Amino acid sequence: RQLREQVAMAAPTNGRVLIYGENGTGKELVAGTVHALSRRRNASFVEVNCPAIPEELIESELFGHVRGAFTGAVADRRGKFEVADGGTIFLDEIGDMSVKTQAKVLRVLQEQTMEPVGGTNRITVDARVLAATNKDLQAEIRSGGFREDLYFRLNVIPIFVPPLRERREDIALLADHFMAEFAREYGRRLKRFEPTAISVIEQYGWPGNVRELRNVIERLMIMVPGDSI
């Protein structure tokens, strides 16, 4: 409820949001909800998974490139920031972005303009920036892995998504939600958790958080033969 309240307050503004939380807690879901409740909801919501993009390609991915900028650049390509113009760009796991790329992202945030790789024309962009990280960015700043000036640009509205072990009263609710979801998906009857099963899942630490819980519920839906778990 607290998280929903924070999202509801942050969403209608243009304030940049930095979402903290362990892997599997639902940071991407929070970002999507911020966009869906914002004034930009009818425009693009563009996700960038920073660790998944090779370092040599991330600038082209973010800012675009012109034909002939590098080997393989056979046509002009729009970058994610340009695609998100008028909407929202979500930089997931920004703590894994190189310091070099961080400097270029900072410049876009400061100037609201960018230059495609190999290009000379500057493009004006109006994209709301949401970012997420599973890292302690303060520690990353101290070790030289994250730019302090970028941190302050992004951390206008911090939102923390707690791990599942810190909100155990949600576990049974989420388990029932996912069970209903998989029952519809697989065309099967709902399975019911016995009290001892609820006790087990509420006491477990869930290091993979909601993502791990969802996977376990799918396994139970598939592998438990009866209607009772």
Side-chain angles (χ1 to χ4, degrees), residues 31 37 70 75 89 127 129 159 163:
L37 297 176
F70 50 83
I89 186 167
V129 177
I159 292 181

Side-chain angles (χ1 to χ4, degrees), residues 119-203:
T120 54
N121 295 328
R122 298 198 67 76
I123 300 169
T124 301
V125 289
D126 169 30
R128 184 183 188 180
V129 177
L130 312 179
T133 183
N134 62 2
K135 293 186 173 182
D136 180 348
L137 290 187
Q138 297 279 14
E140 291 292 313
I141 289 166
R142 289 193 294 273
S143 67
F146 201 82
R147 291 182 64 109
E148 188 173 38
D149 44 6
L150 178 58
Y151 170 77
F152 287 124
R153 284 275 176 181
L154 293 171
N155 196 39
V156 176
I157 304 170
I159 292 181
F160 175 66
V161 188
L164 203 49
R165 64 182 175 276
E166 290 182 11
R167 48 189 182 108
R168 294 183 187 275
E169 65 276 12
D170 291 351
I171 292 173
L173 295 169
L174 285 165
D176 285 340
H177 165 74
F178 290 134
M179 187 61 75
E181 188 179 274
F182 288 123
R184 287 192 301 271
E185 184 176 333
Y186 292 121
R188 296 189 179 185
R189 287 169 55 174
L190 274 174
K191 297 185 191 295
R192 181 181 58 82
F193 286 93
E194 293 185 0
T196 48
I198 291 292
S199 178
V200 167
I201 65 171
E202 286 183 340
Q203 288 171 24

Side-chain angles (χ1 to χ4, degrees), residues 217-228:
I217 301 304
E218 184 173 16
R219 186 186 314 153
L220 293 171
M221 171 56 77
I222 295 168
M223 302 303 292
V224 172
D227 293 336
S228 173

